[in-house]
């Protein structure tokens, strides 16, 4: 059992719950004992303060506290909640980081169906709609505002519709649109979206529903894709699909890592004190929601078609500068009574319409198809185009994706092709203008050998991409491995970048990551080399001066202190990303144990499945890798974890796999997991045939219970568990 008193200071937590001894790492030093009343008050204070800072930071873009101070307050709240689990509010600001796992999302019927909008790409049809509205309202238009109808124009955010329900100022439910009638309860995931308030401010209705669009900002999409590329994974296609995939993740902790955002666009309440949409929306902003405003020009109000058209025109021109994707403009009749009068068709309201922007397409000449080899050996065909202006930038190249795509569209060198920039950041070729094809035109033959190292390409069954398998001999793959090795999240070698690697590779000074530790000042100082961009263009001369050489060598030396888990990640073993490397470090403690582990033993570590285990074994089976490993070892890199050894209380649970579900009295959620592991058991995230016990706390989900019962897995209570470990 972990001792929290006496000398083991890192775990000291002399509070009432900690004193029950069933308390683990998450308990952080708090020397003043607090009773439940004090705690309740402090939790309330912290919640209000943190909610306020969150709102200032994420919604108003105007923080008044440093990140560090914010984290301190959050930690204090987390600690109190761990000590007093009964006081934890599902809407606590600590829920922003997620952690709740949902087995299966519950179906929820919408109180009002979630309709869609009729939409058009034609401005004339917008004019016709406006005339119809005017006619439809006839006399009542006169009645309301001297023959005028007021319209609100909004951006059409390109994401996913959600419905949020609030009761007494608290978020109680977040539901996807689903088929419009019934959606899925994704509340735990919604709570991680910082711009969705968990507790409201100001004078809001007691009970109401608010709808909006969840999306992934462009920057976050780019960050995520850069991270994926760095880890040798395929980039995601576009922000919308990525947001959709993220929202459906079962682990809300994963959702929290992706910075989704949300704009709200309609309020539904029984006794709203406003008679129009615009006022509701602006007041929703006062309650803490992120709603569009005149200030950012994301919303406009007008009384006629000219105002509508200028809003459309403005955003057609400026949409590419927005920090998120939009796919059109939504125009709504502002007055609620007029909305009601106009009514609905079967699928959509008559009082609103969407004008959709055409994905911008241009046609240009395809000079040549070339091929890029990525860090993992993946081959991407690239269309080299006659430069053409498209959606704010000059495009010279476009992705052709893979061999199937080229064959499907029958794309040939010399063709005039249509290029489009849709949701994707990289333009793509979407078709061929065959009328411009000459009789000389020949179908394109996809390459069979690597353009860099001439190795025969392979294509795995069921995969669209071709690969160059020459991992250790193909220049972009070798350089890519080194780039990954030195990157910030891996060995973080300052003073060394992509250009230096390319230059030193060309000079023969770097052929693999172990060479980095043999570099000497006398080899580097004054060294001159030429660097080009990723397409081998725009050559630039570089020469290494004393200062940059010093920097680089310091960076190399400093990297010898990088912890084992990051070294493991840096090695670039396929599928061993940051998280997997941490789990491996925690479980196996050092590189020798990993090297010697059989597939079965690897599978025993948390989160390691067949694919990862197979890839690790394959990596260690390669002599070249072992040689590099040896040299890195001799260079003095860390090959043993410094993470505290999990304290072994007993082996009572050895060989048993547990799933925990619900809320516990004597343990925090993490606490019970640590308890299981420290008694020799294994914790798994989901129930399967391999599960021995489900420890059921309060509020265990009915789906989980059913699954356990169906599979015949024993469900035990918290008390049973405590008996099991002999407390
Ligand atoms: S109003 C009655 N406003 O577009 C429909 N929708 O098909 C009420 N959308 O599913 C929707 N931005 O997800 C509205 N400013 C906006 C919007 C918007 C995006 C989405 C929404 C809806 C789809 C319409």
């Amino acid at each position: 059992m972990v001792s929290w008193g006496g000398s083991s200071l890192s775990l000291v937590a002399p509070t009432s719950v900690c004193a029950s001894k069933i308390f683990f790492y998450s308990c952080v030093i708090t020397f003043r004992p607090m009773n439940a009343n004090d705690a309740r008050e402090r939790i309330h204070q912290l919640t209000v303060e943190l909610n306020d800072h969150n709102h200032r930071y994420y919604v108003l873009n105007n923080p008044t506290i440093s990140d560090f101070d914010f984290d301190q307050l959050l930690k204090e709240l987390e600690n109190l909640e761990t000590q007093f689990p009964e006081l934890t509010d599902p809407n606590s600001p600590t829920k922003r980081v997620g952690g709740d796992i949902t087995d299966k999302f519950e179906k929820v019927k919408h109180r009002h169906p979630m309709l869609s909008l009729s939409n058009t790409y034609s401005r004339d049809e917008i004019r016709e709609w406006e005339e119809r509205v005017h006619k439809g309202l006839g006399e009542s238009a006169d009645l309301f505002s001297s023959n005028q109808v007021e319209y609100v124009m909004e951006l059409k955010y390109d994401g996913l519709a959600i419905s949020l329900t609030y009761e007494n100022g608290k978020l109680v439910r977040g539901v996807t649109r689903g088929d419009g009638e019934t959606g899925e309860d994704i509340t735990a995931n919604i709570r991680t979206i910082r711009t969705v308030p968990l507790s409201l401010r100001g004078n809001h209705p007691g009970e109401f529903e608010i709808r909006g669009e969840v999306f992934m900002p462009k920057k976050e999409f780019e960050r995520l894709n850069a991270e994926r590329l760095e880890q040798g994974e395929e980039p995601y296609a576009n922000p919308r699909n990525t947001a959709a995939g993220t929202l459906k993740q079962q682990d809300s902790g994963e959702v929290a890592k992706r910075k989704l955002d949300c704009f709200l666009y309609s309020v539904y309440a029984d006794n709203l004190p406003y008679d129009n949409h615009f006022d509701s929306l602006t007041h929703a902003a006062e309650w803490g929601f992120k709603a569009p405003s005149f200030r950012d020009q994301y919303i406009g109000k007008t009384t006629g078609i000219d105002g509508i058209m200028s809003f459309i025109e403005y955003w057609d021109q400026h949409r590419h500068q927005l920090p998120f994707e939009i796919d059109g403009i939504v125009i709504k009749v502002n007055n609620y009574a007029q909305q009601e009068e106009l009514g609905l068709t079967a699928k959509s309201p008559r009082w609103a319409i969407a004008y959709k922007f055409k994905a911008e397409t241009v046609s240009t000449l395809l000079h040549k198809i070339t091929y890029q080899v990525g860090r993992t050996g993946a081959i991407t065909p690239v269309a080299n185009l006659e430069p053409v202006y498209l959606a704010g930038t000059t495009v010279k190249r476009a992705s052709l994706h893979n061999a199937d795509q080229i064959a499907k569209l029958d794309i040939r060198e010399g063709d005039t092709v249509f290029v489009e920039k849709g949701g994707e950041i990289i333009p793509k070729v979407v078709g061929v203008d065959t009328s411009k094809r000459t009789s000389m035109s020949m179908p394109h033959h996809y390459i069979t050998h690597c353009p860099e190292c001439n190795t025969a390409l392979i294509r795995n069954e069921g995969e669209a991409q071709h690969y160059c398998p020459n991992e250790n001999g193909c220049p972009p793959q070798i350089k890519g491995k080194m780039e990954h090795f030195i990157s910030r999240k891996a060995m973080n070698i300052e003073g060394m970048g992509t250009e230096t690697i390319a230059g030193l590779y060309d000079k023969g000074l770097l052929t693999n990551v172990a060479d980095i530790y043999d570099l000497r000042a006398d080899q580097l100082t004054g060294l001159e080399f030429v660097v080009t961009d990723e397409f081998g263009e725009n050559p630039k001369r570089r020469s290494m001066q004393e200062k940059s050489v010093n920097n680089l060598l310091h960076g190399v030396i400093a990297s010898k202190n990088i912890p084992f888990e990051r070294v493991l990640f840096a090695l670039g073993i396929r599928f061993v990303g940051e998280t997997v490397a941490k789990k491996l470090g925690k479980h196996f403690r050092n590189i020798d144990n990993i090297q010697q582990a059989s597939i079965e033993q690897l599978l025993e570590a948390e989160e390691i499945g067949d694919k990862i285990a197979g890839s690790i074994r394959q990596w260690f089976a390669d002599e070249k890798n072992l040689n590099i490993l040896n040299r890195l070892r001799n260079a003095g890199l860390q090959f043993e974890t410094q993470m505290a050894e999990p304290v072994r209380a007993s082996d009572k649970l050895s060989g048993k796999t547990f799933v925990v579900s619900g809320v516990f009295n004597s343990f925090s959620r993490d606490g019970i997991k640590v308890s299981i592991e420290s008694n020799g058991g294994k914790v798994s995230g989901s129930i399967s045939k391999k599960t021995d016990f489900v420890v059921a706390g309060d509020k265990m989900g009915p789906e989980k219970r059913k699954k356990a019962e169906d599979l015949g897995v024993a469900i035990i209570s918290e008390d049973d568990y405590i008996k099991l470990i002999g407390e």
Side-chain angles (χ1 to χ4, degrees), residues 116-265:
S116 53
L117 291 167
S118 58
N119 62 59
T120 173
Y121 289 93
S122 139
R123 294 191 192 195
D124 282 345
E125 284 186 15
I126 294 291
R127 287 177 206 280
E128 287 163 20
W129 170 81
E130 199 273 337
E131 279 164 20
R132 267 200 313 279
V133 165
H134 226 269
K135 262 199 213 119
L137 289 174
E139 279 174 21
S140 79
D142 298 341
L143 199 73
F144 280 105
S145 44
S146 55
N147 200 18
Q148 283 188 332
V149 182
E150 202 168 45
Y151 299 98
V152 172
M153 289 81 64
E154 289 165 29
L155 305 182
K156 188 168 185 308
Y157 317 105
D158 197 9
L160 296 104
I162 49 151
S163 146
L164 310 173
T165 304
Y166 285 81
E167 284 170 17
N168 303 318
K170 300 277 181 199
L171 173 70
V172 292
R173 210 172 311 109
V175 182
T176 60
R177 177 175 185 276
D179 61 5
E181 294 290 331
T182 308
E184 289 181 325
D185 186 334
I186 51 161
T187 314
N189 290 349
I190 293 294
R191 285 204 175 99
T192 69
I193 303 174
R194 314 286 162 141
T195 41
V196 171
L198 302 178
S199 294
L200 301 182
R201 54 190 58 235
N203 196 11
H204 51 79
E207 213 175 292
F208 68 99
E209 186 188 337
I210 187 161
R211 292 177 182 174
E213 194 89 347
V214 172
F215 59 91
M216 180 169 280
K218 289 178 190 166
K219 268 226 168 79
E220 176 63 5
F221 177 71
E222 284 161 22
R223 185 198 65 77
L224 196 65
N225 266 352
E227 189 179 283
R228 284 181 72 81
L229 284 171
E230 195 171 294
Q231 296 178 3
E233 290 169 295
E234 280 279 294
Y236 290 122
N238 61 50
R240 206 204 85 89
N241 292 0
T242 316
T246 305
L247 266 192
K248 287 292 187 71
Q249 296 251 344
Q250 292 178 320
D251 181 350
S252 60
E254 289 302 310
V255 183
K257 286 186 204 155
R258 315 246 183 111
K259 305 285 182 254
L260 294 176
D261 203 340
C262 176
F263 263 114
L264 282 311
Y265 55 63

Side-chain angles (χ1 to χ4, degrees), residues 511-527:
T511 57
N512 65 48
V513 296
D515 292 344
I516 293 174
Y517 294 90
D518 292 341
L519 291 173
R520 296 189 319 267
D522 62 292
Q523 296 170 310
L524 301 175
T525 315
L527 196 74

Side-chain angles (χ1 to χ4, degrees), residues 19-36:
S20 74
K21 277 172 86 187
I22 311 166
F23 207 84
F24 299 88
Y25 304 142
S26 45
C27 206
V28 173
I29 309 172
T30 318
F31 285 101
R32 186 172 57 84
M34 226 190 215
N35 63 33

Side-chain angles (χ1 to χ4, degrees), residues 467-529:
Y467 279 90
C468 165
N470 186 14
E471 232 187 281
N472 291 312
C474 177
Q477 297 191 61
I478 299 172
K479 283 186 269 183
K481 269 193 204 313
M482 291 194 270
E483 280 163 23
H484 168 71
F485 185 84
I486 62 155
S487 65
R488 204 170 41 82
K489 288 183 175 171
M491 303 305 283
N492 192 24
I493 303 188
E494 284 179 22
M496 197 182 245
T498 314
E499 288 189 355
T500 335
I501 289 196
L504 299 184
Y505 174 81
D506 288 345
K507 293 279 171 194
L509 289 173
L510 288 183
T511 57
N512 65 48
V513 296
D515 292 344
I516 293 174
Y517 294 90
D518 292 341
L519 291 173
R520 296 189 319 267
D522 62 292
Q523 296 170 310
L524 301 175
T525 315
L527 196 74
E528 290 197 347
F529 50 83

Side-chain angles (χ1 to χ4, degrees), residues 368-372 380-384 397 400 413 444 535:
K368 198 168 171 46
I369 296 176
T370 54
Y371 296 84
Q372 262 185 289
T380 312
V382 178
N384 292 264
R397 292 183 188 85
L400 292 169
E413 289 180 343
H444 183 71
F535 302 104

